[in-house]
């Protein structure tokens, strides 16, 4: 076992919320597999990883494409927090940002939880709520150096492309899990001040002119000014301030 896999195993065997890891070569979706395990009685704290997904899910009903072996496709389960569950996607975005930063890169978050390096997306988060737990799905493009970046893929990047070197995905995963555990503790305890402050520091959306398309199809245009206590994005518009709970943001 490599030393980075050792770090992962010690994290799971040590005092964290993560109690076991299931690594499969292929899943339809790790979120789906984590859901099935939870419904079959596995308690929160499970980590499910796949090398590739056949039906990877993105936000807003989109699909999530991967390069087999070139990314981290992981879903974790966590108990429903006492504090505001709407902060969980932000906590996951922060955890990914922390892990990518530890690879030596400058990271920005695009609300609610896209992780960008040099303005290009390399990770996303999809949180799904079950009766007894949350499934937090995280996709990180780790090494897509073999991919032709023409066309739409030009808006995306991967850690290895940005860092210009090989990247150990187990190292990245360990850092994500360690950081996510800590941020979730804050959410769990209803103590979101530190999380909201860090998020606003890391977030490229705040202070920018934005166009937000909500799940209902409404379009909100204005200047993003900050987050409220639930993680909703405050936008100053010509019609006055609006708090957006969910949506896709275009900057500029
Ligand atoms: C987004 O649209 O930005 C969110 C993408 C989330 C993708 C991850 S990959 C692992 C987990 N399993 C899924 O099916 N989706 C999430």
């Amino acid at each position: 076992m490599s030393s980075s896999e050792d770090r992962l195993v010690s994290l799971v065997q040590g005092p964290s919320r993560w109690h076991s890891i299931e690594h499969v070569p292929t899943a339809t979706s790790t979120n789906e597999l984590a859901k099935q395990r939870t419904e079959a009685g596995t308690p929160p704290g499970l980590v499910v990883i796949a090398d590739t997904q056949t039906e990877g899910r993105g936000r807003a009903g989109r699909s999530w494409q991967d390069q087999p072996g070139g990314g981290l496709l992981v879903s974790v389960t966590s108990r429903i927090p006492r504090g505001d569950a709407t902060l969980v996607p932000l906590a996951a975005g922060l955890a990914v940002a922390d892990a990518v930063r530890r690879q030596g890169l400058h990271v920005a978050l695009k609300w609610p939880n896209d992780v960008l390096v040099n303005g290009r997306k390399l990770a996303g988060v999809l949180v799904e709520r079950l009766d007894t737990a949350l499934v937090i799905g995280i996709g990180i493009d780790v090494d897509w150096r073999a991919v032709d970046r023409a066309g739409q893929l030009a808006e995306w990047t991967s850690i290895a492309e940005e860092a210009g070197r090989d990247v150990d995905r187990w190292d990245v995963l360990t850092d994500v899990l360690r950081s996510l555990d800590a941020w979730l503790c804050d959410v769990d305890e209803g103590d979101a001040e530190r999380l909201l402050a860090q998020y606003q520091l890391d977030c490229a959306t705040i202070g920018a002119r934005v166009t937000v398309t909500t799940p209902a199809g409404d379009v909100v245009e204005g200047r993003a000014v900050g987050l409220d206590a639930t993680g909703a994005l405050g936008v100053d518009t010509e019609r006055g301030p609006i708090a957006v709970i969910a949506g896709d943001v275009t900057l500029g």
Side-chain angles (χ1 to χ4, degrees), residues 29-31 53 55-59 64 73-75 114 121 124-126 137-139:
S29 150
T30 54
N31 270 29
Q53 298 181 129
E55 292 169 37
R57 298 176 190 158
R59 287 199 311 114
W64 181 262
L73 307 165
V74 57
S75 299
D114 285 353
K121 177 166 170 173
V125 172
L126 174 67
I138 297 174

Side-chain angles (χ1 to χ4, degrees), residues 89-131:
L90 306 192
L94 273 175
V96 176
D98 288 341
V100 174
R101 203 176 282 120
R102 283 178 67 98
Q103 295 294 322
L105 300 176
H106 289 287
V107 188
L109 288 163
K110 189 172 92 166
W111 185 87
N113 46 37
D114 285 353
V115 180
L116 312 180
V117 173
N118 289 324
R120 298 195 293 164
K121 177 166 170 173
L122 54 65
V125 172
L126 174 67
V127 177
E128 296 180 292
R129 192 182 177 119
L130 310 178
D131 289 343

